[in-house]
Amino acid sequence: MTDDLPGPPWQMDWTVEARQDFDAMPADGKQLVLAARAELITAPDPYYRGIDADACLPHWITVRPLASTRPGGSHIADLAGGRGWLVFTFIRRHAEPQITVTDAFWA
């Protein structure tokens, strides 16, 4: 047995409320949210820890902790300069690491 965790692509699940918010978004919002989803599930670390760690992200998405005092807790992916966002938590389990989206918004 190895202590290495499985790598990407990660599983992603949505809370009922976040999924309803996503379903209610206009097409342009859904398109950016799905593109952000693709970036998050294929990233070696969805939290993009470290200096300039999100430099490989497209210019329209930034990822940061929701609370600076909890760098391992919920994170927010700001989309299109704050026009929308996804709040998510990455649970690094041995069996099935998973990203859970708890909030989705598009203005």
Side-chain angles (χ1 to χ4, degrees):
M1 189 167 124
T2 178
D3 288 331
D4 293 335
L5 293 173
W10 310 110
Q11 297 297 317
M12 181 178 268
D13 197 10
W14 300 67
T15 63
V16 172
E17 295 83 10
R19 186 61 195 205
Q20 289 171 345
D21 291 341
F22 172 76
D23 290 340
M25 287 180 189
D28 61 335
K30 284 183 181 180
Q31 184 177 13
L32 275 183
V33 167
L34 291 175
R37 177 190 179 277
E39 294 288 338
L40 293 172
I41 67 170
T42 59
D45 184 345
Y47 281 171
Y48 296 93
R49 293 185 178 102
I51 298 171
D52 293 331
D54 62 354
C56 64
L57 288 174
H59 69 280
W60 51 266
I61 181 174
T62 58
V63 175
R64 62 182 168 79
L66 195 56
S68 62
T69 57
R70 296 201 40 175
S74 295
H75 275 55
I76 186 166
D78 287 312
L79 310 175
R83 189 163 174 212
W85 64 75
L86 292 177
V87 175
F88 66 96
T89 302
F90 180 55
I91 302 169
R92 195 178 280 275
R93 299 180 292 213
H94 279 284
E96 295 178 14
Q98 179 175 337
I99 297 170
T100 303
V101 177
T102 57
D103 186 28
F105 174 80
W106 186 259

